Amino acid sequence: MKNILLILIVTGCLIACTGNPSHKKTEMDKFVDNLLSQMTLEEKIGQLNLLSMWFDTTGPRMSRDVEQKVKDGLVGGVFNFWTPKAVRKLQDMVLTQTRLKIPLLVGYDVIHGHRTIYPIPIGLAATWDTEMIERIAVAVADEATADGLQWTFSPMVDIARDPRWGRVSEGAGEDPFLGAEIAKAMVRGYEQGDLSRPTSIMSCVKHFALYGAAEGGRDYNTTDMSHLRMYNEYLPPYEAAVKAGASSIMTSFNEIDGVPATGNRWLLTELLRNQWGFDGFVVTDWTAIYEMEDHGVGDRAKVTELSINAGVDMDMVSEYMIEELPALVKAGRVKESTIDAACRRILAAKYKLGLFDDPYRGISDERAKKQIMSADKLALSKEAALKSIVLLKNDKKTLPLDASKKIAFIGPLVKNQRTLLGNWAAAGDWEQIMTLWDALENKYAGAKFLYAQGCHLVEDGYIRRMTDQQNGNVIDDRPAQQLIAEAVQTARQADVVVAVLGEAYDMSGEAASRSNINLLDNQKALLKALKETGKPVALVLINGRPLTLQWEHDNIDAILETWLPGMRGGEAIVDILFGDANPSGKITMTFPRSVGQIPIYYNHKSTGRPFNNDSKFTVKYIDTENSPLYPFGYGLSYTQFTYSDVRLSDSTLTDGGNITASITLTNSGDRTGEEIVQFYVRDLVGSITRPVKELKGFQRIALNAGESKQVTFSITPELLKFYNADLKWTAEPGDFLVFIGKNSDVENNARFTLK
Ligand code: NOJ
């Protein structure tokens, strides 16, 4: 017994110290131990310091004199920095001018492409195509590593139910299951199970945790939720990404249970390392340690102590670790072994990346020339844009357009380059982008399309100042009334009008929360004037979040949500508008009717007074519908898909067993199309209340007109598990409904019992 205990203790110690569950030290452990034994305390702390190199993005503190600090051995990694030449120069500096010659980690926010830019993440999520998303992550890794990078601050896996929050554009939306599937695909694609390959890039899962639940949708704001909600609804994508092998994770700006994430030991050690077995390293978000002073949990020494003792390994930009840790160790407030553990994790990441063998890993000018914006990557960007576009409405077959008709393209985004690229577009060059107008002229050379700008992209106060210079817009200073009058005149000459409206690229993303998520007033005024011409109007939206579109839905004939579609977005929109491609994307966040409905999400609880239209005293508003404008999973096609009833292979599922649920899907329209078939489960009675529906599977199915296919989902007890009141992962016997259909509003269901 004693012996077993000893083995357990030693094993536990080995796991805790090295992340390696085997008894034997690996070559890496030995290498890292040896290196660590040669390092001074200052050199170890230097490895924990991450600085911004070329530019400062955000936050209250900026990185200064970075090269000098690198030479002084005070830096473990840099970011906002790339190109073979620049990275080579910096690694050379380390190799020739520092004592221990430890290569730097080089990172960047490669969020939806590095130089080849793909649709923003919420657009990518709308494809529901995890196989393609993984291919994109592989392509991104290939391109970014050729350009000198080893580390990307992606994927962002924060579940978000509040479209006022600008960063919904950077994530996969509101659903934990879909979010987890996408998170896994991205980690797999980036890291490819082997960081030593020069074409794989280290991922960084962010923002740990619950950042998407910021109160009121205001960026950086407080979050507060029960552990049940956390475990069942918000944590699954982080956990899935960790289990898929993510090598680093970034803390979030918010607090959790009253303690900022960056100083939260329960989060970073108990949950992340002890419960989930994470063996990578933890980096803070930008100045997040520094910001803990403003959170009000201590002075600079105290917050540094809190963060390192909580489990933070690397300090992004605060520089509190290098400034405060030496004295904290001296005072006995931080153990040197804690610093050793953090340093060890950073050195291990560098080892796994192969940096000690080749500090110039993956970089060569030839590779860069070949890989950057290669034809296959640009084609992938277009494939993604095509699959991400969501048809929200299409009355009277307004779309697709007939190129032989007279068509007026109206709006400030028809000829705009910058917006298509989207926010956080890494090293993407918007000047290389083909606008929607260029794409039209390119494809239909000689056709006579009409054009008017119609309005400014942004007009309201500070939003306009914020976006004008950079949005690539032609600033037309004519008064609004004149722009509208010209647009109306143009529309009158046309058979059909296409209004291209939305948000400037920086109206979503970080620090871009909005209290209203409607089309800006000036754009709405234009749209109303166009509607009044009596011509059929199609609205093409280019924007980064769900918008409130009740008026548009009630008045405009067709609506196409194209997100911020990336480098080939202009061409993709044209292909969809004219029917060369059939829309197939489905929204991954609920579109509310009004901001007052927020938070609104499909997987809500039932309540004791479930919504009932005929009864006043049920969960509802008196001034608007209960339902959203467009539910989670919604999206139309130019063809129609019909679903058979749900068939179950058995009405009883036993422990360890497996049953299937199937439908026959038929393309009953007149053109080829792809349908995202969605599979939801409802647990009818539980020891805690359960959501009215939970997504548990999906498949993207391509069918020719008239074709049918059986689509099958497997159901196991594992699929039915949830965290109960004791936070135990369990499936409870009882009755379940399974739904299979086109969106979360599906009613088509069958019932089975888990014995
Ligand atoms: C702050 C953002 O919150 C985070 O997502 C990003 O990775 C860092 N800045 C680094 O740029």
Side-chain angles (χ1 to χ4, degrees):
M1 186 63 198
K2 245 190 195 162
N3 283 351
I4 294 175
L5 206 65
L6 192 68
I7 290 170
L8 284 177
I9 292 168
V10 172
T11 312
C13 175
L14 271 176
I15 294 171
C17 301
T18 65
N20 170 21
S22 82
H23 293 234
K24 271 205 225 129
K25 287 210 168 194
T26 62
E27 285 307 311
M28 179 180 82
D29 298 331
K30 288 184 210 155
F31 178 90
V32 170
D33 278 351
N34 180 37
L35 184 53
L36 207 62
S37 69
Q38 299 169 50
M39 294 172 82
T40 64
L41 178 65
E42 278 65 30
E43 283 168 333
K44 290 177 201 167
I45 294 172
Q47 287 301 305
L48 317 188
N49 196 25
L50 175 67
L51 297 182
S52 172
M53 196 63 200
W54 278 346
F55 50 89
D56 291 313
T57 46
T58 53
R61 211 176 180 194
M62 307 297 177
S63 301
R64 297 284 172 263
D65 308 319
V66 181
E67 288 199 3
Q68 189 54 50
K69 287 173 186 158
V70 167
K71 288 183 202 159
D72 294 343
L74 292 175
V75 184
V78 294
F79 69 114
N80 290 337
F81 182 69
W82 62 94
T83 74
K85 192 169 162 213
V87 174
R88 193 175 280 280
K89 184 175 154 222
L90 205 67
Q91 299 290 34
D92 280 343
M93 194 179 287
V94 172
L95 296 178
T96 55
Q97 303 193 38
T98 66
R99 191 176 80 89
L100 290 170
K101 310 183 193 323
I102 302 175
L104 293 163
L105 279 179
V106 182
Y108 189 37
D109 286 275
V110 180
I111 306 299
H112 51 113
H114 176 56
R115 291 196 190 242
T116 308
I117 302 299
Y118 304 83
I120 51 168
I122 196 161
L124 285 179
T127 69
W128 300 56
D129 190 340
T130 50
E131 180 275 327
M132 181 197 68
I133 290 173
E134 185 169 339
R135 271 192 286 133
I136 290 176
V138 170
V140 166
D142 195 15
E143 185 177 68
T145 52
D147 213 11
L149 295 166
Q150 313 136 5
W151 186 23
T152 173
F153 303 139
S154 168
M156 178 181 118
V157 305
D158 306 317
I159 294 298
R161 293 170 167 177
D162 190 334
R164 291 172 298 182
W165 189 48
R167 301 196 79 170
V168 301
S169 64
E170 294 177 61
E174 75 189 35
D175 185 64
F177 181 87
L178 179 63
E181 292 303 304
I182 291 176
K184 287 190 279 186
M186 290 179 81
V187 170
R188 280 197 306 262
Y190 287 145
E191 302 208 4
Q192 296 153 42
D194 179 5
L195 280 185
S196 73
R197 296 164 69 146
T199 52
S200 62
I201 196 163
M202 181 164 67
S203 61
C204 184
V205 179
K206 68 188 190 186
H207 305 82
F208 194 54
L210 320 182
Y211 184 37
E215 283 177 0
R218 277 197 299 285
D219 212 356
Y220 317 118
N221 208 6
T222 307
T223 63
D224 193 6
M225 71 173 71
S226 71
H227 278 238
L228 272 179
R229 172 165 277 184
M230 230 184 255
Y231 273 76
N232 283 315
E233 300 165 35
Y234 279 77
L235 293 178
Y238 306 103
E239 183 178 2
V242 163
K243 301 230 158 114
S247 295
S248 69
I249 197 162
M250 186 186 291
T251 64
S252 55
F253 289 122
N254 53 281
E255 65 178 61
I256 292 165
D257 289 333
V259 181
T262 305
N264 195 314
R265 188 170 165 83
W266 171 78
L267 183 76
L268 303 180
T269 297
E270 286 311 313
L271 180 69
L272 180 63
R273 294 199 183 279
N274 298 349
Q275 290 184 33
W276 293 353
F278 177 66
D279 71 351
F281 72 90
V282 176
V283 62
T284 73
D285 201 345
W286 185 285
T287 57
I289 301 181
Y290 176 100
E291 290 171 33
M292 284 203 287
E293 284 187 77
D294 276 326
H295 275 281
V297 292
D299 61 10
R300 50 181 14 245
K302 180 69 190 170
V303 297
T304 312
E305 175 190 341
L306 280 174
S307 67
I308 188 101
N309 286 338
V312 168
D313 302 308
M314 197 172 222
D315 168 3
M316 185 191 290
V317 183
S318 290
E319 296 188 59
Y320 275 14
M321 290 236 183
I322 54 167
E323 290 168 12
E324 298 296 326
L325 280 180
L328 286 168
V329 172
K330 221 171 180 184
R333 289 164 64 181
V334 173
K335 292 196 192 108
E336 186 157 354
S337 60
T338 306
I339 290 169
D340 284 357
C343 183
R344 193 185 294 276
R345 292 185 191 118
I346 308 237
L347 295 176
K350 292 183 178 184
Y351 184 96
K352 287 183 198 154
L353 282 162
L355 283 171
F356 291 108
D357 291 332
D358 178 9
Y360 313 107
R361 170 190 191 272
I363 346 177
S364 78
D365 292 330
E366 302 83 87
R367 226 193 115 210
K369 216 176 274 160
K370 212 163 138 209
Q371 297 305 341
I372 290 175
M373 289 178 61
S374 56
D376 55 333
K377 294 189 179 71
L378 289 166
L380 187 52
S381 172
K382 180 155 177 206
E383 179 189 342
L386 285 170
K387 289 179 171 169
S388 71
I389 292 174
V390 185
L391 182 63
L392 295 174
K393 180 178 177 190
N394 194 21
D395 272 7
K396 295 178 255 157
K397 294 203 166 173
T398 307
L399 294 178
L401 300 168
D402 175 352
S404 67
K405 293 256 171 69
K406 240 189 190 176
I407 309 170
F409 284 84
I410 295 180
L413 289 172
V414 177
K415 295 190 175 178
N416 184 297
Q417 288 177 292
R418 180 62 190 88
T419 304
L420 294 173
L421 209 58
N423 54 58
W424 258 133
D429 179 1
W430 59 265
E431 286 176 305
Q432 298 202 28
I433 284 197
M434 203 187 265
T435 63
L436 202 160
W437 184 254
D438 295 337
L440 278 171
E441 294 208 313
N442 202 33
K443 186 155 180 177
Y444 296 99
K448 284 260 168 306
F449 296 114
L450 305 173
Y451 167 74
Q453 180 174 322
C455 67
H456 298 125
L457 177 53
V458 282
E459 193 146 73
D460 321 55
Y462 79 95
I463 297 183
R464 173 148 197 211
R465 280 199 304 281
M466 188 171 99
T467 53
D468 259 3
Q469 311 93 338
Q470 307 151 0
N471 66 20
N473 231 8
V474 181
I475 305 292
D476 185 330
D477 273 330
R478 286 178 294 164
Q481 279 322 314
Q482 201 177 332
L483 288 173
I484 290 187
E486 182 191 78
V488 166
Q489 209 181 15
T490 308
R492 287 211 177 102
Q493 296 164 41
D495 300 316
V496 52
V497 175
V498 180
V500 188
L501 303 173
E503 296 181 305
Y505 82 97
D506 55 359
M507 284 171 65
S508 60
E510 186 175 352
S513 296
R514 297 179 60 190
S515 64
N516 277 307
I517 51 171
N518 48 350
L519 277 183
L520 295 176
D521 290 348
N522 63 323
Q523 295 192 18
K524 189 81 151 268
L526 168 66
L527 199 57
K528 286 187 170 160
L530 295 175
K531 158 84 183 165
E532 276 161 22
T533 63
K535 303 283 179 176
V537 180
L539 170 61
V540 172
L541 291 167
I542 303 181
N543 62 288
R545 55 152 64 78
L547 298 172
T548 47
L549 298 167
Q550 185 71 64
W551 184 88
E552 291 76 0
H553 180 82
D554 293 342
N555 290 282
I556 301 299
D557 304 288
I559 307 177
L560 204 58
E561 175 57 77
T562 74
W563 315 109
L564 304 173
M567 219 148 216
R568 303 287 304 274
E571 294 149 273
I573 295 171
V574 169
D575 282 3
I576 297 254
L577 281 176
F578 289 89
D580 296 315
N582 195 346
S584 60
K586 303 226 182 185
I587 55 176
T588 63
M589 270 192 91
T590 303
F591 276 45
R593 294 174 190 276
S594 64
V595 281
Q597 287 186 312
I598 298 169
I600 182 167
Y601 48 93
Y602 84 94
N603 48 351
H604 59 84
K605 301 292 186 69
S606 164
T607 85
R609 294 189 179 195
F611 171 70
N612 175 350
N613 225 355
D614 303 325
S615 163
K616 180 171 179 193
F617 297 97
T618 66
V619 57
K620 61 158 83 159
Y621 298 102
I622 56 168
D623 60 352
T624 186
E625 305 272 327
N626 227 52
S627 61
L629 185 60
Y630 305 119
F632 172 84
Y634 172 88
L636 306 173
S637 165
Y638 294 152
T639 191
Q640 275 87 47
F641 293 100
T642 45
Y643 286 69
S644 72
D645 290 345
V646 178
R647 298 180 295 270
L648 288 172
S649 61
D650 203 324
S651 59
T652 307
L653 174 64
T654 51
D655 197 16
N658 175 22
I659 59 172
T660 60
S662 341
I663 50 100
T664 304
L665 179 72
T666 304
N667 181 343
S668 46
D670 54 8
R671 46 172 86 215
T672 300
E674 292 192 21
E675 169 74 335
I676 298 160
V677 178
Q678 298 160 42
F679 166 59
Y680 297 87
V681 169
R682 177 166 186 176
D683 185 351
L684 286 167
V685 178
S687 59
I688 58 167
T689 59
R690 308 286 294 121
V692 294
K693 264 177 206 146
E694 291 177 286
L695 183 74
K696 292 289 179 183
F698 54 89
Q699 293 180 40
R700 203 177 226 279
I701 306 290
L703 290 179
N704 293 322
E707 208 186 337
S708 293
K709 193 173 176 190
Q710 173 161 313
V711 183
T712 301
F713 296 92
S714 163
I715 311 170
T716 60
E718 187 60 31
L719 197 77
L720 308 174
K721 287 188 175 169
F722 62 97
Y723 288 97
N724 68 13
D726 300 324
L727 297 180
K728 290 254 154 53
W729 181 237
T730 180
E732 294 177 352
D735 285 358
F736 292 79
L737 298 180
V738 286
F739 301 81
I740 302 180
K742 49 182 65 173
N743 63 55
S744 59
D745 235 6
V746 53
E747 286 178 1
N748 187 20
N749 73 73
R751 190 178 180 122
F752 72 91
T753 307
L754 174 67
K755 288 279 184 210

